[in-house]
Amino acid sequence: MKACSGCGSGSTNLTRTFTTLLRNAGLRRIRFHDLRHSTATLLLEQGVELVVIKELLGHAHIGVTAGVYAHEGSASSARRNCGSPATASPTWGGASP
């Protein structure tokens, strides 16, 4: 992200704005980068092919995507197979129901 003149760093402004949005929404603070991981995890849990997730994330090699998210696929598969709902908090930082 390119910063505008006199505005400071673009990433600093993004972080500040994101933190404000989280606070205003009553959500716990997370890093903006955490949204990337959450998106990939949710896509994998919805059955999106790993190669599609690789392309969306911009990974050069599928091995990178598989190495980071392979555990997510096996965990969601295990939850579906046993019929019990996930008990963990959402990875995106929202409040549990």
Side-chain angles (χ1 to χ4, degrees):
M1 176 182 292
K2 189 172 183 171
C4 61
S5 61
C7 301
S9 167
S11 63
T12 300
N13 287 333
L14 176 64
T15 300
R16 186 178 303 125
T17 301
F18 183 64
T19 300
T20 301
L21 289 170
L22 290 173
R23 187 180 328 105
N24 291 344
L27 299 172
R28 69 179 171 89
R29 186 174 180 183
I30 62 171
R31 298 172 304 151
F32 187 79
H33 185 79
D34 293 336
L35 295 176
R36 176 183 170 92
H37 182 75
S38 298
T39 299
T41 300
L42 291 170
L43 289 170
L44 190 61
E45 287 178 351
Q46 293 298 313
V48 175
E49 295 291 327
L50 199 57
V51 69
V52 173
I53 297 170
K54 169 204 162 297
E55 291 297 323
L56 289 171
L57 296 177
H59 292 158
H61 304 284
I62 192 127
V64 173
T65 312
V68 173
Y69 299 105
H71 67 283
E72 300 294 341
S74 61
S76 64
S77 175
R79 285 193 302 267
R80 281 192 303 269
N81 290 338
C82 73
S84 62
T87 56
S89 297
T91 57
W92 50 268
S96 296

